[in-house]
Amino acid sequence: MHAILHPARAVTLSFLAVIVLGALLLMLPQARPGGAGAPLLVAFFTSVSAVCVTGLVTVDTGTYWSTFGQVIIMLLFQIGGFGMMTAATLLGLMVNRSARLRTRLMTQTETRSLGLGDVHSVARLVLYMTLACQSAIALVLTLRLGLGHGLAWRDAAWSGLFHAVSAFNNAGFSIHPDSLTRYAGDALILLPILLGFILGGIGFPVLHDLRMRLRDPRHWSLHTKLTLAGTLVLLLAGFVAVLLFEWGNPRTLGPLGAGEKILNSFFISAAARTSGFNTVDIAALTQETWALHYLLMFIGGGSASTAGGVKVATVAVLFLLVVAEARGHSDTEAFGRRVGASAQRQAVTVLVIGSILIVLGTLALLRMTDFPTDQIIFEVIAAFSTAGLSTGITAQLPVAGQLVLLLLMFFGRVGTITLATSLVMGERRMPYRYPEEHPIVG
């Protein structure tokens, strides 16, 4: 009898296998223009960043890697994004299937979650939606780059495809050394990319729910409502804050016109939640905008999406918990539904573990380097949340420091989902309960 591998462990091992394979391919002579294979650390760091759809790099993607190497990188973050979306969705179905039939039917009725049907059809649906969005974005970008920026059609098509796949997967990889700063004034370039990483970052369960019940918001699941409401609040609040903090900054939005300032402020707000693209120099942002990025990167995108972070729904549940406690309510409620106690415990656990990892990563890098604390915190949160934004110190970190970022990227991308799944699958009722007592809190 072979032992059955826990689904969460299977996902972790699968991602590790893809990372190792990607690193080996990037070490091939064909992966670099000069025919010399990339060093192990460079190849491994790039592979981890691509599979974990982070976007942090130690070398320039467009010049350091050949077309073959860039194709490998694109395939890695395609696998990383699509694989995580599929794995997270299928793991959610496995969680439901591990319960008794009555519990599964109750869960499906109350949450209007994905059905209990063939998991292969779920994977196909994710694939079709992914390819449809990426193809549409790639087409728009190709036409704009060819007609509006004078690129040869072959170069325009490759750039359009690479950035479209990178955008939808929230990977943040660009073949330009300045990311998207050269297109800061071009809405026809920024808006399709913006749409791509917002759709990819919402999460497949939400997209599935919208696809099935777009005209009937009353029957959207609580998860969909929390994710959409949280995403809207974060986008608008971030947009207003960036506009306020950067309007007169001569190194970022200052030289731009009013319309371009509005466009780039919204782009920066959305990109901070794990897309990894930037239209201005991140190192030139004000301290207030950096602090805003800490929060937005840490929260990230939707559950079962290509985005990272502790997830919007997690923070929404915690916010509702705080509101309920402040009002003296025994139940945590939203949109006419009661949030389950297990979901509240899982949200607290994910937040605490994520915070601990960030603190440990920050302390480790502060011990290893002499960089300012604010830059270290930015880099650590960007790695854990797979946001991929950088103040420019990643390549300057020592080997040990880059290894710390590697671990943070991997745990941030795989750990929170596998942790939540493990919590649900490991949930069981104890045959006894201890006497209740109330310690003093606060």
Side-chain angles (χ1 to χ4, degrees), residues 194 231-247 253 258-273 289 292-293 296:
L194 177 69
T231 298
L232 182 62
V233 169
L234 291 172
L235 284 175
L236 293 180
F239 161 69
V240 173
V242 172
L243 202 62
L244 176 64
F245 297 148
E246 300 296 329
W247 182 274
L253 300 185
E260 294 175 346
K261 289 181 179 180
I262 292 174
L263 172 64
N264 281 268
S265 293
F266 193 79
F267 190 96
I268 292 170
S269 172
R273 293 175 43 249
T289 307
L292 176 67
H293 273 67
L296 295 178

Side-chain angles (χ1 to χ4, degrees), residues 322-339:
V322 172
V323 171
E325 186 64 27
R327 292 179 174 178
H329 294 177
S330 57
D331 292 329
T332 301
E333 302 167 338
F335 301 106
R337 291 291 186 270
R338 186 178 71 254
V339 180

Side-chain angles (χ1 to χ4, degrees), residues 129-277:
M129 294 183 67
T130 300
L131 295 181
C133 290
Q134 292 177 357
S135 299
I137 296 169
L139 177 61
V140 174
L141 293 179
T142 299
L143 293 175
R144 179 57 180 168
L145 291 171
L147 297 175
H149 292 270
L151 267 68
W153 285 111
R154 178 178 178 181
D155 296 334
W158 171 240
S159 180
L161 177 63
F162 188 94
H163 289 97
V165 176
S166 182
F168 185 81
N169 287 297
N170 278 254
F173 277 86
S174 174
I175 56 178
H176 306 311
D178 58 353
S179 190
L180 300 178
T181 56
R182 64 184 62 189
Y183 304 122
D186 193 338
L188 294 180
I189 294 291
L190 298 188
L191 289 179
I193 292 177
L194 177 69
L195 178 64
F197 60 71
I198 288 179
L199 287 176
I202 286 178
F204 176 71
V206 174
L207 294 177
H208 180 273
D209 204 12
L210 294 177
R211 175 177 174 269
M212 301 301 294
R213 308 177 182 87
L214 180 61
R215 298 183 179 181
D216 192 10
R218 294 175 302 171
H219 293 91
W220 291 351
S221 69
L222 178 59
H223 171 75
T224 296
K225 293 177 180 179
L226 290 179
T227 301
L228 291 179
T231 298
L232 182 62
V233 169
L234 291 172
L235 284 175
L236 293 180
F239 161 69
V240 173
V242 172
L243 202 62
L244 176 64
F245 297 148
E246 300 296 329
W247 182 274
N249 188 346
R251 300 174 61 194
T252 56
L253 300 185
L256 303 178
E260 294 175 346
K261 289 181 179 180
I262 292 174
L263 172 64
N264 281 268
S265 293
F266 193 79
F267 190 96
I268 292 170
S269 172
R273 293 175 43 249
T274 85
S275 88
F277 289 112

Side-chain angles (χ1 to χ4, degrees), residues 40-41 47 58 108 126 183 235 242 313 332 348 405 415 427 430:
L40 175 60
L41 181 60
S47 181
T58 57
Q108 185 181 13
V126 176
Y183 304 122
L235 284 175
V242 172
T332 301
V348 172
L405 294 186
E427 188 176 11
M430 301 299 292

